[in-house]
Amino acid sequence: ARQQVLRIRWLATAGSLVVLALVVIASLALVDHALELPFGLRGLAFAGLIALLATCVWRVRRRLIVDVPLARTAAETESQIAEFGQRLRTTLDYEQRPRAQAAASPRLLAALRQQTAHLAGQVDWQAAVDDRPALLALAAAVVALLGWGSVLALAPEYRTATARVLLLPSEYTEVVYTPR
């Protein structure tokens, strides 16, 4: 369940970052289309976008991925599946920190582990984890990509401005005037 939760969080993060990157690139391209920004300013803006995305990935990784202990995942699972009660957290507590807990009979702990394992074998783990955040973020990314792609397909000037913002080779981004 923890692996599935982490996978859903990564997918939600990826979808959100795609939307963020598209909004920033589209906005920069719109400004470049209107003002024809100098190369240095476009480069600085693009570097800022890369730094923003890297910072977001680092923060999300720390906050949502690394700092999620197994006990928190167990608590979230117990809230989704009422049949567990507090069996998952109790089992984890006695497995991970046996000295910090109150003394318990080894037979009681073995029975608790066996009952929890039996119950875990009957649970539909796919249904236990809420995958809506990942689906919503990925759907938003697809909608943003389709919208941005349709604007790029319909407006050649905006396509050129976008290429300039993305620092593509100069033959695609510079208008060369040749005398007649």
Side-chain angles (χ1 to χ4, degrees):
R2 183 172 191 268
Q3 293 303 317
Q4 191 172 355
V5 167
L6 294 178
R7 188 173 28 258
I8 286 171
R9 289 181 178 175
W10 273 118
L11 287 173
T13 299
S16 300
L17 289 177
V18 166
V19 171
L20 175 66
L22 286 178
V23 166
V24 170
I25 290 170
S27 300
L28 288 172
L30 189 62
V31 169
D32 186 65
H33 176 65
L35 302 176
E36 292 189 29
L37 299 172
F39 179 80
L41 198 53
R42 289 192 319 261
L44 185 64
F46 191 68
L49 171 64
I50 299 299
L52 174 69
L53 292 176
T55 302
C56 289
V57 167
W58 180 76
R59 288 191 54 121
V60 165
R61 184 182 169 277
R62 277 200 60 211
R63 179 178 251 178
L64 295 180
I65 309 300
V66 174
D67 291 343
V68 178
L70 194 54
R72 181 172 162 195
T73 306
E76 290 174 7
T77 303
E78 289 170 347
S79 71
Q80 294 283 332
I81 305 170
E83 291 86 11
F84 275 119
Q86 288 187 336
R87 286 181 185 91
L88 290 175
R89 283 181 286 171
T90 304
T91 302
L92 280 174
D93 285 345
Y94 278 99
E95 290 291 325
Q96 293 177 346
R97 298 169 293 200
R99 291 187 183 96
Q101 305 301 323
S105 161
R107 289 179 52 203
L108 175 66
L109 292 175
L112 177 65
R113 267 188 240 112
Q114 183 180 17
Q115 186 183 33
T116 304
H118 177 70
L119 188 57
Q122 297 175 346
V123 169
D124 177 16
W125 291 103
Q126 296 294 329
V129 178
D130 185 19
D131 58 354
R132 286 179 295 178
L135 292 175
L136 289 173
L138 293 175
V142 167
V143 167
L145 279 169
L146 289 174
W148 188 51
S150 63
V151 171
L152 288 175
L154 296 174
E157 297 87 7
Y158 185 73
R159 191 169 45 245
T160 301
T162 301
R164 287 169 49 94
V165 166
L166 295 176
L167 305 175
L168 293 178
S170 62
E171 64 264 16
Y172 299 114
T173 61
E174 307 262 336
V175 177
V176 178
Y177 295 104
T178 56
R180 293 186 183 208

